[in-house]
Every structure is written in C-alpha cells, then in structure tokens.
Coordinates of all heavy atoms in Angstrom, one line a residue:
M915 N 205.2 148.4 171.2 CA 204.9 147.4 170.2 C 206.1 146.6 169.7 O 206.1 145.4 169.5 CB 204.1 148.0 169.1 CG 202.7 148.4 169.5 SD 201.6 148.9 168.0 CE 202.5 150.2 167.3
A916 N 207.2 147.4 169.4 CA 208.4 146.9 168.9 C 209.1 146.0 169.9 O 209.5 144.9 169.5 CB 209.3 148.1 168.5
D917 N 209.0 146.5 171.1 CA 209.7 145.6 172.2 C 208.9 144.3 172.5 O 209.5 143.1 172.6 CB 209.7 146.4 173.5 CG 210.7 147.6 173.4 OD1 211.6 147.5 172.6 OD2 210.6 148.5 174.3
M918 N 207.6 144.3 172.4 CA 206.8 143.2 172.6 C 207.0 142.2 171.4 O 207.1 141.0 171.7 CB 205.3 143.5 172.7 CG 205.0 144.1 174.0 SD 203.1 144.4 174.2 CE 202.8 145.9 173.4
L919 N 207.1 142.7 170.2 CA 207.3 141.8 169.0 C 208.8 141.1 169.1 O 208.9 139.9 169.0 CB 207.3 142.6 167.8 CG 207.5 141.9 166.5 CD1 206.3 141.1 166.2 CD2 207.9 142.8 165.3
L920 N 209.8 141.9 169.6 CA 211.1 141.3 169.7 C 211.3 140.4 170.9 O 212.1 139.5 170.8 CB 212.1 142.5 169.8 CG 212.3 143.3 168.5 CD1 213.3 144.5 168.8 CD2 212.7 142.6 167.3
S921 N 210.3 140.5 171.9 CA 210.4 139.5 173.0 C 209.7 138.3 172.6 O 209.7 137.4 173.5 CB 209.6 140.3 174.2 OG 208.3 140.4 174.0
G922 N 209.0 138.2 171.5 CA 208.4 136.9 171.2 C 206.9 137.0 170.9 O 206.3 136.0 170.6
M923 N 206.3 138.1 171.3 CA 204.8 138.2 171.1 C 204.4 138.4 169.6 O 205.2 138.9 168.8 CB 204.3 139.4 171.8 CG 204.3 139.3 173.3 SD 203.4 140.7 174.2 CE 201.7 140.3 173.8
S924 N 203.4 137.7 169.3 CA 202.8 137.9 167.9 C 202.1 139.1 167.6 O 201.8 139.8 168.6 CB 201.8 136.6 167.7 OG 200.7 136.7 168.4
L925 N 201.8 139.5 166.4 CA 201.0 140.6 166.1 C 199.7 140.7 166.8 O 199.2 141.7 167.3 CB 201.0 140.9 164.7 CG 202.3 141.1 163.8 CD1 202.1 141.1 162.4 CD2 202.9 142.4 164.4
R926 N 199.1 139.4 166.6 CA 197.8 139.3 167.3 C 197.8 139.5 168.7 O 196.9 140.1 169.4 CB 197.2 137.9 167.0 CG 195.9 137.5 167.5 CD 195.5 136.2 167.1 NE 194.3 135.7 167.8 CZ 194.3 135.0 169.0 NH1 195.6 134.7 169.5 NH2 193.3 134.6 169.6
G927 N 198.9 139.0 169.4 CA 199.0 139.1 170.9 C 199.2 140.5 171.2 O 198.6 140.9 172.3
I928 N 199.9 141.3 170.5 CA 200.2 142.6 170.8 C 198.9 143.4 170.7 O 198.5 144.2 171.6 CB 201.2 143.2 169.8 CG1 202.6 142.6 170.0 CG2 201.3 144.8 170.0 CD1 203.6 142.9 168.9
A929 N 198.1 143.0 169.6 CA 196.7 143.8 169.4 C 195.8 143.5 170.6 O 195.2 144.4 171.1 CB 196.0 143.4 168.2
L930 N 195.8 142.2 171.1 CA 195.0 141.8 172.2 C 195.4 142.6 173.5 O 194.5 143.1 174.3 CB 195.1 140.5 172.5 CG 194.3 139.5 171.5 CD1 194.6 138.1 171.7 CD2 192.8 139.7 171.5
Y931 N 196.8 142.7 173.7 CA 197.3 143.4 174.8 C 196.9 144.9 174.8 O 196.4 145.5 175.8 CB 198.8 143.3 174.8 CG 199.4 144.1 176.0 CD1 199.6 143.5 177.2 CD2 199.9 145.3 175.8 CE1 200.3 144.2 178.3 CE2 200.5 146.0 176.8 CZ 200.7 145.4 178.1 OH 201.3 146.2 179.0
L932 N 197.1 145.6 173.7 CA 196.7 147.0 173.6 C 195.2 147.2 173.8 O 194.9 148.3 174.5 CB 197.1 147.5 172.2 CG 198.6 147.5 171.9 CD1 199.0 147.9 170.4 CD2 199.4 148.4 172.9
N933 N 194.4 146.4 173.2 CA 192.9 146.6 173.5 C 192.6 146.4 174.8 O 191.7 147.1 175.3 CB 192.1 145.7 172.5 CG 192.3 146.1 170.9 OD1 192.5 147.3 170.7 ND2 192.3 145.1 170.1
E934 N 193.1 145.3 175.5 CA 192.8 145.0 176.8 C 193.2 146.1 177.8 O 192.6 146.3 178.9 CB 193.3 143.6 177.2 CG 192.7 142.4 176.6 CD 193.5 141.2 176.8 OE1 194.5 141.2 177.5 OE2 193.0 140.1 176.3
H935 N 194.3 146.7 177.5 CA 194.7 147.8 178.4 C 194.2 149.2 178.0 O 194.7 150.3 178.4 CB 196.3 147.8 178.4 CG 196.9 146.7 179.1 ND1 196.9 145.5 178.6 CD2 197.5 146.6 180.4 CE1 197.5 144.6 179.5 NE2 197.8 145.3 180.6
G936 N 193.2 149.2 177.1 CA 192.6 150.6 176.7 C 193.4 151.5 175.9 O 193.1 152.7 176.0
V937 N 194.4 151.1 175.2 CA 195.2 151.9 174.4 C 194.4 152.2 173.1 O 194.0 151.3 172.4 CB 196.5 151.3 174.0 CG1 197.4 152.2 173.1 CG2 197.3 150.9 175.3
L938 N 194.2 153.5 172.8 CA 193.4 153.8 171.7 C 194.1 153.6 170.3 O 195.3 153.9 170.2 CB 193.0 155.3 171.7 CG 192.1 155.8 172.9 CD1 192.0 157.3 172.8 CD2 190.8 155.2 172.9
C939 N 193.5 153.1 169.3 CA 194.0 152.8 168.0 C 194.2 154.1 167.4 O 193.7 155.2 167.7 CB 193.2 151.9 167.2 SG 191.7 152.7 166.7
P940 N 195.1 154.2 166.3 CA 195.4 155.5 165.6 C 194.1 156.4 165.3 O 194.1 157.5 165.5 CB 196.1 155.1 164.4 CG 196.8 153.8 164.8 CD 195.8 153.1 165.7
C941 N 193.1 155.7 164.7 CA 191.9 156.5 164.3 C 191.2 157.1 165.6 O 190.9 158.3 165.5 CB 190.9 155.5 163.6 SG 189.4 156.3 163.1
Q942 N 190.9 156.3 166.5 CA 190.3 156.8 167.8 C 191.2 157.9 168.5 O 190.7 158.9 169.1 CB 189.9 155.7 168.7 CG 188.9 154.7 168.2 CD 187.6 155.4 168.0 OE1 187.0 155.3 166.9 NE2 187.0 156.1 168.9
Y943 N 192.5 157.6 168.5 CA 193.5 158.5 169.2 C 193.5 159.9 168.6 O 193.4 160.9 169.3 CB 194.9 157.9 169.2 CG 195.9 158.7 169.8 CD1 196.1 158.7 171.1 CD2 196.7 159.5 169.0 CE1 197.1 159.4 171.7 CE2 197.7 160.3 169.6 CZ 197.9 160.3 171.0 OH 198.8 161.0 171.5
K944 N 193.3 159.9 167.2 CA 193.3 161.2 166.6 C 192.1 162.0 166.9 O 192.1 163.2 167.1 CB 193.4 161.1 165.1 CG 194.8 160.6 164.6 CD 195.0 160.4 163.1 CE 196.2 159.8 162.7 NZ 196.3 159.6 161.2
K945 N 191.0 161.3 167.0 CA 189.7 162.0 167.2 C 189.6 162.3 168.7 O 189.2 163.4 169.1 CB 188.5 161.1 166.9 CG 188.4 161.0 165.3 CD 187.1 160.3 164.9 CE 187.1 158.9 165.3 NZ 185.9 158.2 164.7
E946 N 189.8 161.4 169.7 CA 189.5 161.6 171.0 C 190.7 162.4 171.8 O 190.4 163.3 172.7 CB 189.3 160.3 171.8 CG 188.1 159.6 171.2 CD 187.8 158.3 172.0 OE1 188.3 158.2 173.1 OE2 187.2 157.4 171.4
K947 N 191.9 162.1 171.5 CA 193.0 162.7 172.2 C 193.5 164.0 171.5 O 193.8 165.0 172.2 CB 194.2 161.7 172.3 CG 194.1 160.6 173.4 CD 194.1 161.4 174.8 CE 194.0 160.3 175.9 NZ 195.3 159.8 176.3
L948 N 193.7 163.9 170.2 CA 194.2 165.1 169.4 C 193.1 166.1 169.0 O 193.4 167.2 168.7 CB 195.0 164.6 168.2 CG 196.2 163.7 168.6 CD1 196.9 163.4 167.3 CD2 197.3 164.3 169.5
G949 N 191.8 165.7 169.1 CA 190.7 166.5 168.6 C 190.7 166.8 167.2 O 190.3 167.8 166.8
V950 N 191.3 165.8 166.4 CA 191.3 166.1 164.9 C 190.1 165.6 164.3 O 189.6 164.5 164.7 CB 192.5 165.4 164.4 CG1 192.6 165.5 162.8 CG2 193.8 165.9 164.9
K951 N 189.5 166.3 163.3 CA 188.3 165.8 162.7 C 188.7 164.8 161.6 O 188.7 165.1 160.4 CB 187.5 167.0 162.0 CG 187.0 168.0 163.0 CD 186.2 169.2 162.3 CE 185.7 170.0 163.3 NZ 185.0 171.2 162.7
Y952 N 189.1 163.6 162.1 CA 189.7 162.6 161.2 C 188.6 161.5 161.0 O 187.9 161.0 162.0 CB 190.9 162.0 161.8 CG 191.5 160.9 161.0 CD1 192.3 161.1 159.9 CD2 191.3 159.6 161.4 CE1 192.8 160.1 159.3 CE2 191.8 158.5 160.8 CZ 192.6 158.7 159.6 OH 193.2 157.7 159.0
A953 N 188.4 161.1 159.8 CA 187.4 160.0 159.5 C 188.0 159.0 158.6 O 188.4 159.3 157.5 CB 186.1 160.6 158.9
N954 N 188.1 157.8 159.1 CA 188.7 156.7 158.3 C 187.4 156.0 157.7 O 186.5 155.4 158.5 CB 189.4 155.7 159.2 CG 190.1 154.6 158.5 OD1 189.7 154.3 157.3 ND2 190.9 153.9 159.1
P955 N 187.3 156.0 156.3 CA 186.1 155.4 155.7 C 186.0 153.9 155.9 O 184.9 153.3 155.8 CB 186.4 155.8 154.2 CG 187.8 155.9 154.1 CD 188.3 156.6 155.4
F956 N 187.0 153.2 156.3 CA 187.1 151.8 156.5 C 186.8 151.5 158.0 O 186.7 150.3 158.3 CB 188.3 151.1 156.0 CG 188.5 151.5 154.6 CD1 189.5 152.4 154.3 CD2 187.7 150.9 153.5 CE1 189.8 152.7 152.8 CE2 188.0 151.2 152.2 CZ 189.0 152.0 151.9
A957 N 186.9 152.5 158.9 CA 186.8 152.2 160.3 C 185.5 152.0 160.7 O 184.4 152.6 160.2 CB 187.5 153.2 161.0
K958 N 185.2 151.2 161.8 CA 183.9 151.0 162.4 C 183.6 152.1 163.4 O 184.4 153.0 163.6 CB 183.8 149.6 163.1 CG 184.0 148.5 162.2 CD 184.0 147.2 163.0 CE 184.2 146.0 162.0 NZ 184.3 144.7 162.8
E959 N 182.4 152.1 164.0 CA 182.0 153.2 164.9 C 183.1 153.3 166.1 O 183.4 154.4 166.5 CB 180.6 152.9 165.5 CG 180.2 154.0 166.4 CD 178.7 153.8 166.8 OE1 178.1 152.9 166.2 OE2 178.3 154.6 167.7
K960 N 183.5 152.2 166.7 CA 184.5 152.1 167.6 C 185.6 151.1 167.2 O 185.5 150.0 167.2 CB 184.0 151.6 168.9 CG 184.9 151.5 170.2 CD 185.3 153.0 170.5 CE 186.2 152.8 171.8 NZ 186.6 154.2 172.2
S961 N 186.7 151.8 166.7 CA 187.8 151.0 166.1 C 188.7 150.5 167.2 O 188.8 151.1 168.3 CB 188.6 152.0 165.2 OG 187.8 152.4 164.1

C-alpha cells in the first residue's frame, strides 16, 4: 500500500486494487485467516 501511494496511486485506487485482487480487509482477515473472534460493530457482513 505504501509503495502504491508513493508511486502515484490514490487511496481510492489502492482500495480498488486490493479488493479486485481478493486481499482481505483487516476485519475479514482477522476472522478468516487468523481465526480470531473479532467483531467490528461498524462493519458490514462482508467488509
């Protein structure tokens, strides 16, 4: 993310890139990859 920002990509562009490439956001990553019982009250069903 840092490299993409310094290369000229916008924050919105980075978000689109990560979502299109199937990179899990922090909330989903903690639940699916780390197996942590983590619940973000502001998160949707699929963040």
Side-chain angles (χ1 to χ4, degrees):
M915 290 191 299
D917 292 337
M918 285 187 278
L919 181 76
L920 294 177
S921 69
M923 288 186 70
S924 66
L925 295 174
R926 176 176 169 274
I928 297 171
L930 288 171
Y931 177 89
L932 295 175
N933 291 327
E934 289 171 357
H935 286 75
V937 179
L938 297 174
C939 71
C941 179
Q942 296 298 127
Y943 180 80
K944 289 177 182 178
K945 290 191 291 186
E946 297 182 24
K947 281 293 184 92
L948 301 182
V950 177
K951 294 181 180 179
Y952 176 81
N954 186 342
F956 305 104
K958 298 179 181 178
E959 186 176 348
K960 181 66 176 179
S961 300

